[in-house]
Amino acid sequence: MTGIAAGAAELDATLNRFVTQNGRPGAAAGVVHGDELAWAAGAGFADPGAQVSSDPGTLYRIASITKTFTGTAVMQLRDAGRLDLDDPAVKYLPELHGAVSPFAAIEAVTIRRMLSHESGLATEPPGTDWSVPVYQGDPQLTLARPGDIVLMLPPNVQHKYSDLAYQLLGEIVTRVSGIPYPGYVRERILDPLGMSATGFEPLGGPLLSRRAAGYSRRPFSDELDLEPAFPPVWAEGGLWSCVQDLARWISFQLRAYAADTYTSPAADSPVLAAASRREMHKPRYLADDDWTSAWGISWCGSPGRRQLDPALWRASRLHHQRLFRSQAAGRRDRSA
């Protein structure tokens, strides 16, 4: 903690360089140490047009970091005995009997494979066109046209990132729990962790005023264009959050590796047991031939240098519209 505080000026300078060198309107960042947000700052503007500065309380769309919340919801239901990770998705989504599955029976698309991006499902829901943008974010509408849902690869053969898979996982959470997905995440994850500044659209008034504006850069220019409103999206990437709340989320992950985790039930949480959090972080397979990433459940490990190290895990995704870029990453202290 002392070292982080001593390096605050350098961290501030690094954040400002990131904004300047990458031509970003603004950014916010933080460093979590244990249960504390040891450093946090903003640089540039959350809304250049209105000259609103970025700060650790600014809300950004966190895109696919949302998937770690969806995975947590599924693991909660697994731990409660409501489902099994090796259940076929069609058990809960019978509409998938009408999906196009040229490689294997649709029962090969399991919840576990969907969570780890190895189901073979298409990357995006049918009809997605990011140039407009058009995105079908409602899983019930997606399932109403099952013939448009296509397996692009055999399940359990190779990595294929899939927003579609996570959209359908959100619908499984809804059907198994009996609670609409956004309400389930609020009630069972966000509120218990004190993440009051995190939520799905439509955001309430106080949160709405804290949102950053999304911009894209004009081709061959330094000028920015305000992006149009993003189509509705939920389980695969719809959350808004801020550095302060994401610090709580990272602290929750790190507490799964407390020194007494293996012997003391006090290390557990009513949100999700420490053992289940570690299960989510544990790499299941290498995602590329260069050994640069390995996928667990909703989290991607970044081993690097051909040394598989499950101690470092992250969730990130460059937003399709280039509105925002968000990343959350953690590393447990091996000295603990």
Side-chain angles (χ1 to χ4, degrees):
M1 176 71 173
T2 303
I4 296 172
E10 183 178 350
L11 291 168
D12 288 340
T14 299
L15 179 59
N16 279 281
R17 279 198 305 273
F18 170 82
V19 170
T20 302
Q21 293 176 0
N22 291 279
R24 306 286 180 180
V31 175
V32 175
H33 186 269
D35 278 342
E36 296 186 37
L37 180 57
W39 168 83
F45 294 99
D47 186 343
Q51 293 289 286
V52 177
S53 298
S54 295
D55 62 46
T58 300
L59 267 63
Y60 293 89
R61 187 187 290 277
I62 62 172
S64 285
I65 296 173
T66 305
K67 290 180 173 67
T68 63
F69 293 83
T70 303
T72 298
V74 172
M75 294 296 284
Q76 287 178 330
L77 295 170
R78 190 282 306 269
D79 288 355
R82 307 285 298 278
L83 57 75
D84 191 277
L85 298 188
D86 294 315
D87 285 340
V90 71
K91 177 178 178 180
Y92 306 98
L93 307 174
E95 297 95 330
L96 290 179
H97 281 297
V100 179
S101 181
F103 304 103
I106 195 63
E107 285 77 10
V109 177
T110 65
I111 292 174
R112 187 188 304 275
R113 290 169 180 168
M114 294 166 73
L115 287 166
S116 297
H117 297 290
E118 52 179 333
S119 68
L121 284 165
T123 301
E124 306 294 357
T128 298
D129 184 350
W130 293 113
S131 66
V132 178
V134 172
Y135 185 85
Q136 176 49 266
D138 187 333
Q140 295 187 37
L141 293 179
T142 298
L143 289 165
R145 300 177 61 183
D148 292 338
I149 299 173
V150 181
L151 261 69
M152 308 302 292
L153 294 168
N156 199 35
V157 169
Q158 71 181 68
H159 171 76
K160 182 167 182 57
Y161 196 94
S162 181
D163 285 333
L164 172 59
Y166 268 78
Q167 182 186 105
L168 298 178
L169 286 167
E171 182 64 10
I172 289 175
V173 170
T174 294
R175 295 187 184 187
V176 172
S177 69
I179 304 171
Y181 170 83
Y184 182 96
V185 172
R186 167 60 61 196
E187 178 183 329
R188 304 296 172 88
I189 301 174
L190 299 177
D191 285 348
L193 292 176
M195 298 178 66
S196 59
T198 301
F200 294 96
E201 293 181 321
L203 297 172
L207 296 183
L208 196 62
S209 65
R210 291 168 54 181
R211 290 192 313 174
Y215 289 86
S216 63
R217 189 171 302 284
R218 295 179 186 174
F220 313 109
S221 170
D222 290 334
E223 295 187 40
L224 299 172
D225 286 327
L226 186 65
E227 286 282 352
F230 190 72
V233 58
W234 288 278
E236 65 270 39
L239 278 174
W240 289 78
S241 191
C242 62
V243 167
Q244 295 156 340
D245 264 18
L246 285 179
R248 294 182 175 91
W249 186 235
I250 291 297
S251 291
F252 174 62
Q253 307 302 323
L254 293 172
R255 285 197 296 274
Y257 299 95
D260 63 349
T261 291
Y262 295 92
T263 59
S264 172
D268 276 336
S269 163
V271 173
L272 192 67
S276 294
R277 278 173 276 162
R278 294 194 301 272
E279 182 181 353
M280 292 182 71
H281 304 157
K282 184 178 180 180
R284 296 193 60 243
Y285 68 93
L286 290 168
D288 60 8
D289 294 337
D290 295 326
W291 293 26
T292 58
S293 62
W295 278 93
I297 294 175
S298 304
W299 293 93
C300 176
S302 298
R305 302 297 183 184
R306 292 185 176 269
Q307 293 180 351
L308 187 59
D309 180 0
L312 178 64
W313 28 264
R314 63 181 172 85
S316 67
R317 184 81 184 275
L318 182 61
H319 203 282
H320 285 281
Q321 281 187 276
R322 305 185 303 280
L323 299 181
F324 311 109
R325 180 168 184 166
S326 303
Q327 178 164 315
R331 186 182 184 94
R332 63 186 171 95
D333 187 351
R334 288 184 171 277
S335 64

